[in-house]
Amino acid sequence: MLKNTLIVPETDARLAARLVQEAIDTLDIVLMFVFGKDDQAKQTVEWADQLCNKTRISDTFNIRKVIWIRNAAPATLRTVLNSFLGDKPVPRVAALNFHDQLKGTIPEGGEIDPIKLEMLFVEAQKT
C-alpha cells in the first residue's frame, strides 16, 4: 500500500493540475514525480514510496512525497509541469527541492533502482 504517494487522476485534467500545483505549493516537502503507468513506473513509485518512510517525522508529516502522474499530456497539467520542467520532454522521474527547484531527473528509458531514487531525494533535500 502506498502511504506517501499522491496518484494524480488521469481522467480529470483540471483536478490533476490543481492537485499537482497544491503539492508544489506545499512548504517544507521534497517532491519526487514519477511519470507513466507501465510496470517500470509502478515499480518506481513503490520504491520511492518506501524510501519516503526513512524521513517520516510523525504519523501525519513527512518531508518527502511522491507524485505519480500517469498521464502528463493534458495541456492544463503540462502548464503546471512546465513551471519546473520548462519545455523539456517529460522524464521518467523528477525531484524538486524545498524551494520547488528541479534538482535532478532520470530520463525516459534511464535505468532506475532504489539507490538512484534515494540519491535524487538526498540531492533535493540539500537545499
Side-chain angles (χ1 to χ4, degrees), residues 42-52 112-114 117 121:
K42 182 179 178 188
Q43 179 65 71
T44 301
V45 167
E46 289 172 1
W47 283 334
D49 190 85
Q50 290 173 3
L51 291 169
C52 288
I112 300 172
D113 61 43
L117 296 174
F121 268 133

Side-chain angles (χ1 to χ4, degrees), residues 25-78:
D25 292 342
T26 302
L27 300 176
D28 301 330
I29 61 169
V30 170
L31 298 174
M32 180 169 287
F33 290 86
V34 178
F35 298 93
K37 59 182 176 180
D38 58 2
D39 289 340
Q40 183 188 39
K42 182 179 178 188
Q43 179 65 71
T44 301
V45 167
E46 289 172 1
W47 283 334
D49 190 85
Q50 290 173 3
L51 291 169
C52 288
N53 289 328
K54 295 173 68 171
T55 58
R56 179 166 299 285
I57 304 221
S58 71
D59 288 340
T60 59
F61 184 71
N62 192 331
I63 63 169
R64 293 178 176 180
K65 185 167 187 119
V66 179
I67 310 296
W68 188 6
I69 300 178
R70 296 172 295 173
N71 180 7
T76 54
L77 179 56
R78 186 58 206 217

